[in-house]
Amino acid sequence: MLNEELLSVWLRLGAVIDNQRLVSDLPFNEAMVCGLLLRAKEAGHTLTASDLCRETRILKSQMNAILHSLEKKGFLQRQKSPHDLRCSEIFLLPEGRERYLDSHRRTLALVDRLIESLGQDNATTLIPLLSQAADSFDQILKEV
């Protein structure tokens, strides 16, 4: 059945991506948070823990544990927001940024190997399909 096949492939892919071998220096969620913080800085804005929860769909208690771990490892710092003293803005520290980028470069090298294995045309075709699948599933979950 098509639904069983799609679920099986989806779970296999999720297990491979979520496996810590993909981002060996950081647990998957910590790497994802670092990536979001880096992209926010590059775009000229900051993020709060609530922003990160919304972007990642991670519960606030879990996000606090992730942020505490990254803070303890020297990746980031939190500062009270000048716009809202109830919130803290979160920033990657220079050393955390470099350590994340080192790990990210290794991950991109693995993705390059995947592209090589799939072929450029298949990889290019896959991107909008995966994006559409993520958007569709996100919408379905909002309706449930």
Side-chain angles (χ1 to χ4, degrees):
M1 299 181 82
L2 184 58
N3 60 354
E4 287 289 347
E5 287 181 61
L6 182 57
L7 179 60
S8 177
V9 169
W10 176 11
L11 292 174
R12 269 185 47 221
L13 181 59
V16 169
I17 290 171
D18 198 24
N19 188 320
Q20 290 191 18
R21 286 179 290 168
L22 184 61
V23 282
S24 58
D25 295 348
L26 292 170
F28 181 78
N29 287 337
E30 289 183 11
M32 186 170 47
V33 166
C34 287
L36 288 169
L37 291 171
L38 181 65
R39 286 188 294 280
K41 180 177 172 69
E42 289 170 350
H45 62 273
T46 59
L47 297 174
T48 65
S50 295
D51 296 328
L52 291 167
C53 288
R54 192 171 34 263
E55 287 288 321
T56 61
R57 312 270 190 312
I58 293 174
L59 298 175
K60 187 175 183 176
S61 59
Q62 292 171 311
M63 183 57 69
N64 283 332
I66 291 166
L67 294 175
H68 178 74
S69 174
L70 286 168
E71 224 171 2
K72 198 168 142 180
K73 293 175 184 177
F75 274 77
L76 61 83
Q77 73 179 39
R78 301 182 225 200
Q79 295 177 349
K80 286 291 181 191
S81 170
H83 311 293
D84 184 350
L85 295 178
R86 297 170 296 170
C87 297
S88 292
E89 294 176 343
I90 303 164
F91 301 92
L92 272 180
L93 294 170
E95 182 180 329
R97 178 183 181 281
E98 289 311 310
R99 289 170 54 197
Y100 166 74
L101 286 174
D102 286 344
S103 177
H104 187 65
R105 281 188 278 276
R106 286 191 298 279
T107 302
L108 286 178
L110 292 172
V111 174
D112 286 342
R113 290 179 62 191
L114 175 63
I115 292 168
E116 185 179 313
S117 174
L118 291 173
Q120 191 93 23
D121 290 342
N122 285 337
T124 300
T125 301
L126 187 59
I127 293 168
L129 288 173
L130 289 175
S131 182
Q132 183 181 359
D135 291 345
S136 294
F137 199 65
D138 190 39
Q139 185 59 41
I140 291 165
L141 290 176
K142 287 178 184 174
E143 295 169 2
V144 175

PDB file of all heavy atoms in Angstrom, residues 14 19 21 26 32 38 49 60 80 83 98 101 104-105 111 113 139 142:
ATOM      1  N   GLY A  14      14.157   9.815   8.236  1.00  0.00           N
ATOM      2  CA  GLY A  14      14.207  10.546   9.501  1.00  0.00           C
ATOM      3  C   GLY A  14      15.228   9.954  10.458  1.00  0.00           C
ATOM      4  O   GLY A  14      15.973  10.684  11.120  1.00  0.00           O
ATOM      5  N   ASN A  19      20.162  10.722  13.216  1.00  0.00           N
ATOM      6  CA  ASN A  19      21.253   9.970  13.812  1.00  0.00           C
ATOM      7  C   ASN A  19      22.431  10.909  14.075  1.00  0.00           C
ATOM      8  O   ASN A  19      22.810  11.693  13.226  1.00  0.00           O
ATOM      9  CB  ASN A  19      21.660   8.848  12.843  1.00  0.00           C
ATOM     10  CG  ASN A  19      22.641   7.898  13.465  1.00  0.00           C
ATOM     11  OD1 ASN A  19      23.544   8.300  14.178  1.00  0.00           O
ATOM     12  ND2 ASN A  19      22.462   6.635  13.176  1.00  0.00           N
ATOM     13  N   ARG A  21      25.415  10.504  13.936  1.00  0.00           N
ATOM     14  CA  ARG A  21      26.565  10.378  13.035  1.00  0.00           C
ATOM     15  C   ARG A  21      26.559  11.483  11.979  1.00  0.00           C
ATOM     16  O   ARG A  21      27.578  11.823  11.426  1.00  0.00           O
ATOM     17  CB  ARG A  21      26.572   9.009  12.355  1.00  0.00           C
ATOM     18  CG  ARG A  21      26.992   7.901  13.304  1.00  0.00           C
ATOM     19  CD  ARG A  21      26.960   6.579  12.606  1.00  0.00           C
ATOM     20  NE  ARG A  21      25.554   6.256  12.368  1.00  0.00           N
ATOM     21  CZ  ARG A  21      25.137   5.281  11.589  1.00  0.00           C
ATOM     22  NH1 ARG A  21      25.973   4.528  10.958  1.00  0.00           N
ATOM     23  NH2 ARG A  21      23.854   5.051  11.438  1.00  0.00           N
ATOM     24  N   LEU A  26      27.689  17.635  17.637  1.00  0.00           N
ATOM     25  CA  LEU A  26      26.533  18.150  18.369  1.00  0.00           C
ATOM     26  C   LEU A  26      25.349  17.209  18.191  1.00  0.00           C
ATOM     27  O   LEU A  26      25.166  16.657  17.107  1.00  0.00           O
ATOM     28  CB  LEU A  26      26.115  19.515  17.811  1.00  0.00           C
ATOM     29  CG  LEU A  26      27.039  20.693  18.003  1.00  0.00           C
ATOM     30  CD1 LEU A  26      26.554  21.877  17.166  1.00  0.00           C
ATOM     31  CD2 LEU A  26      27.086  21.079  19.465  1.00  0.00           C
ATOM     32  N   MET A  32      20.649  22.022  14.944  1.00  0.00           N
ATOM     33  CA  MET A  32      19.551  22.736  14.301  1.00  0.00           C
ATOM     34  C   MET A  32      19.385  24.135  14.907  1.00  0.00           C
ATOM     35  O   MET A  32      19.224  25.113  14.177  1.00  0.00           O
ATOM     36  CB  MET A  32      18.253  21.927  14.451  1.00  0.00           C
ATOM     37  CG  MET A  32      17.081  22.513  13.706  1.00  0.00           C
ATOM     38  SD  MET A  32      15.631  21.416  13.640  1.00  0.00           S
ATOM     39  CE  MET A  32      15.447  20.861  15.319  1.00  0.00           C
ATOM     40  N   LEU A  38      22.528  31.157  13.494  1.00  0.00           N
ATOM     41  CA  LEU A  38      23.470  31.681  12.500  1.00  0.00           C
ATOM     42  C   LEU A  38      22.718  32.373  11.360  1.00  0.00           C
ATOM     43  O   LEU A  38      23.063  33.491  10.970  1.00  0.00           O
ATOM     44  CB  LEU A  38      24.352  30.563  11.960  1.00  0.00           C
ATOM     45  CG  LEU A  38      25.389  30.979  10.922  1.00  0.00           C
ATOM     46  CD1 LEU A  38      26.418  31.914  11.536  1.00  0.00           C
ATOM     47  CD2 LEU A  38      26.056  29.762  10.331  1.00  0.00           C
ATOM     48  N   ALA A  49      13.979  32.221  22.785  1.00  0.00           N
ATOM     49  CA  ALA A  49      13.655  30.800  22.971  1.00  0.00           C
ATOM     50  C   ALA A  49      12.290  30.489  22.365  1.00  0.00           C
ATOM     51  O   ALA A  49      12.108  29.434  21.742  1.00  0.00           O
ATOM     52  CB  ALA A  49      13.697  30.440  24.450  1.00  0.00           C
ATOM     53  N   LYS A  60       9.020  23.915  25.018  1.00  0.00           N
ATOM     54  CA  LYS A  60       9.801  24.926  25.742  1.00  0.00           C
ATOM     55  C   LYS A  60      10.774  24.291  26.740  1.00  0.00           C
ATOM     56  O   LYS A  60      11.924  24.716  26.835  1.00  0.00           O
ATOM     57  CB  LYS A  60       8.853  25.899  26.445  1.00  0.00           C
ATOM     58  CG  LYS A  60       9.551  27.075  27.067  1.00  0.00           C
ATOM     59  CD  LYS A  60       8.571  28.068  27.646  1.00  0.00           C
ATOM     60  CE  LYS A  60       9.327  29.261  28.184  1.00  0.00           C
ATOM     61  NZ  LYS A  60       8.446  30.307  28.672  1.00  0.00           N
ATOM     62  N   LYS A  80      19.156  39.797  27.978  1.00  0.00           N
ATOM     63  CA  LYS A  80      17.813  40.375  28.065  1.00  0.00           C
ATOM     64  C   LYS A  80      17.559  41.239  26.839  1.00  0.00           C
ATOM     65  O   LYS A  80      18.415  42.008  26.417  1.00  0.00           O
ATOM     66  CB  LYS A  80      17.651  41.215  29.330  1.00  0.00           C
ATOM     67  CG  LYS A  80      17.533  40.411  30.595  1.00  0.00           C
ATOM     68  CD  LYS A  80      16.209  39.673  30.624  1.00  0.00           C
ATOM     69  CE  LYS A  80      16.069  38.875  31.904  1.00  0.00           C
ATOM     70  NZ  LYS A  80      14.945  37.962  31.832  1.00  0.00           N
ATOM     71  N   HIS A  83      14.030  45.268  23.894  1.00  0.00           N
ATOM     72  CA  HIS A  83      12.665  45.574  23.469  1.00  0.00           C
ATOM     73  C   HIS A  83      11.620  45.026  24.430  1.00  0.00           C
ATOM     74  O   HIS A  83      10.525  45.569  24.534  1.00  0.00           O
ATOM     75  CB  HIS A  83      12.397  45.012  22.072  1.00  0.00           C
ATOM     76  CG  HIS A  83      13.468  45.364  21.086  1.00  0.00           C
ATOM     77  ND1 HIS A  83      13.691  46.649  20.660  1.00  0.00           N
ATOM     78  CD2 HIS A  83      14.384  44.594  20.454  1.00  0.00           C
ATOM     79  CE1 HIS A  83      14.697  46.660  19.806  1.00  0.00           C
ATOM     80  NE2 HIS A  83      15.147  45.424  19.673  1.00  0.00           N
ATOM     81  N   GLU A  98      32.144  29.118  14.997  1.00  0.00           N
ATOM     82  CA  GLU A  98      33.181  28.390  14.257  1.00  0.00           C
ATOM     83  C   GLU A  98      33.055  26.884  14.453  1.00  0.00           C
ATOM     84  O   GLU A  98      33.208  26.113  13.498  1.00  0.00           O
ATOM     85  CB  GLU A  98      34.570  28.884  14.663  1.00  0.00           C
ATOM     86  CG  GLU A  98      34.893  30.278  14.160  1.00  0.00           C
ATOM     87  CD  GLU A  98      34.612  30.464  12.673  1.00  0.00           C
ATOM     88  OE1 GLU A  98      35.063  29.620  11.859  1.00  0.00           O
ATOM     89  OE2 GLU A  98      33.922  31.446  12.322  1.00  0.00           O
ATOM     90  N   LEU A 101      30.119  25.760  12.403  1.00  0.00           N
ATOM     91  CA  LEU A 101      30.431  25.785  10.975  1.00  0.00           C
ATOM     92  C   LEU A 101      31.334  24.621  10.571  1.00  0.00           C
ATOM     93  O   LEU A 101      31.176  24.065   9.482  1.00  0.00           O
ATOM     94  CB  LEU A 101      31.052  27.126  10.577  1.00  0.00           C
ATOM     95  CG  LEU A 101      30.066  28.292  10.515  1.00  0.00           C
ATOM     96  CD1 LEU A 101      30.807  29.603  10.261  1.00  0.00           C
ATOM     97  CD2 LEU A 101      28.994  28.063   9.457  1.00  0.00           C
ATOM     98  N   HIS A 104      29.052  21.775  10.354  1.00  0.00           N
ATOM     99  CA  HIS A 104      28.157  21.981   9.218  1.00  0.00           C
ATOM    100  C   HIS A 104      28.866  21.676   7.894  1.00  0.00           C
ATOM    101  O   HIS A 104      28.276  21.073   6.989  1.00  0.00           O
ATOM    102  CB  HIS A 104      27.621  23.415   9.235  1.00  0.00           C
ATOM    103  CG  HIS A 104      26.565  23.668   8.214  1.00  0.00           C
ATOM    104  ND1 HIS A 104      25.336  23.055   8.249  1.00  0.00           N
ATOM    105  CD2 HIS A 104      26.556  24.470   7.127  1.00  0.00           C
ATOM    106  CE1 HIS A 104      24.602  23.464   7.227  1.00  0.00           C
ATOM    107  NE2 HIS A 104      25.329  24.321   6.533  1.00  0.00           N
ATOM    108  N   ARG A 105      30.129  22.051   7.796  1.00  0.00           N
ATOM    109  CA  ARG A 105      30.892  21.748   6.579  1.00  0.00           C
ATOM    110  C   ARG A 105      31.004  20.241   6.366  1.00  0.00           C
ATOM    111  O   ARG A 105      30.893  19.753   5.239  1.00  0.00           O
ATOM    112  CB  ARG A 105      32.277  22.389   6.636  1.00  0.00           C
ATOM    113  CG  ARG A 105      32.286  23.877   6.304  1.00  0.00           C
ATOM    114  CD  ARG A 105      33.696  24.425   6.187  1.00  0.00           C
ATOM    115  NE  ARG A 105      34.298  24.751   7.462  1.00  0.00           N
ATOM    116  CZ  ARG A 105      34.120  25.900   8.113  1.00  0.00           C
ATOM    117  NH1 ARG A 105      33.351  26.826   7.603  1.00  0.00           N
ATOM    118  NH2 ARG A 105      34.708  26.114   9.276  1.00  0.00           N
ATOM    119  N   VAL A 111      26.174  15.566   2.340  1.00  0.00           N
ATOM    120  CA  VAL A 111      25.082  15.887   1.413  1.00  0.00           C
ATOM    121  C   VAL A 111      25.609  15.921  -0.018  1.00  0.00           C
ATOM    122  O   VAL A 111      24.931  15.456  -0.950  1.00  0.00           O
ATOM    123  CB  VAL A 111      24.382  17.209   1.806  1.00  0.00           C
ATOM    124  CG1 VAL A 111      23.358  17.622   0.761  1.00  0.00           C
ATOM    125  CG2 VAL A 111      23.715  17.079   3.174  1.00  0.00           C
ATOM    126  N   ARG A 113      27.918  14.079  -1.163  1.00  0.00           N
ATOM    127  CA  ARG A 113      28.024  12.669  -1.563  1.00  0.00           C
ATOM    128  C   ARG A 113      26.658  12.096  -1.912  1.00  0.00           C
ATOM    129  O   ARG A 113      26.534  11.277  -2.835  1.00  0.00           O
ATOM    130  CB  ARG A 113      28.696  11.859  -0.457  1.00  0.00           C
ATOM    131  CG  ARG A 113      30.181  12.199  -0.313  1.00  0.00           C
ATOM    132  CD  ARG A 113      30.856  11.434   0.783  1.00  0.00           C
ATOM    133  NE  ARG A 113      30.823   9.994   0.511  1.00  0.00           N
ATOM    134  CZ  ARG A 113      31.155   9.083   1.399  1.00  0.00           C
ATOM    135  NH1 ARG A 113      31.565   9.442   2.605  1.00  0.00           N
ATOM    136  NH2 ARG A 113      31.097   7.807   1.090  1.00  0.00           N
ATOM    137  N   GLN A 139       0.705  21.540   7.510  1.00  0.00           N
ATOM    138  CA  GLN A 139      -0.673  22.015   7.432  1.00  0.00           C
ATOM    139  C   GLN A 139      -1.651  20.976   7.977  1.00  0.00           C
ATOM    140  O   GLN A 139      -2.572  21.297   8.713  1.00  0.00           O
ATOM    141  CB  GLN A 139      -1.041  22.364   5.981  1.00  0.00           C
ATOM    142  CG  GLN A 139      -2.406  22.981   5.820  1.00  0.00           C
ATOM    143  CD  GLN A 139      -2.558  24.273   6.617  1.00  0.00           C
ATOM    144  OE1 GLN A 139      -1.664  25.102   6.672  1.00  0.00           O
ATOM    145  NE2 GLN A 139      -3.698  24.431   7.272  1.00  0.00           N
ATOM    146  N   LYS A 142      -1.636  20.989  11.724  1.00  0.00           N
ATOM    147  CA  LYS A 142      -2.321  22.145  12.281  1.00  0.00           C
ATOM    148  C   LYS A 142      -3.837  21.929  12.310  1.00  0.00           C
ATOM    149  O   LYS A 142      -4.515  22.492  13.151  1.00  0.00           O
ATOM    150  CB  LYS A 142      -1.984  23.406  11.470  1.00  0.00           C
ATOM    151  CG  LYS A 142      -0.594  23.907  11.694  1.00  0.00           C
ATOM    152  CD  LYS A 142      -0.305  25.117  10.838  1.00  0.00           C
ATOM    153  CE  LYS A 142       1.144  25.561  11.013  1.00  0.00           C
ATOM    154  NZ  LYS A 142       1.495  26.634  10.090  1.00  0.00           N
TER     155      LYS A 142
END
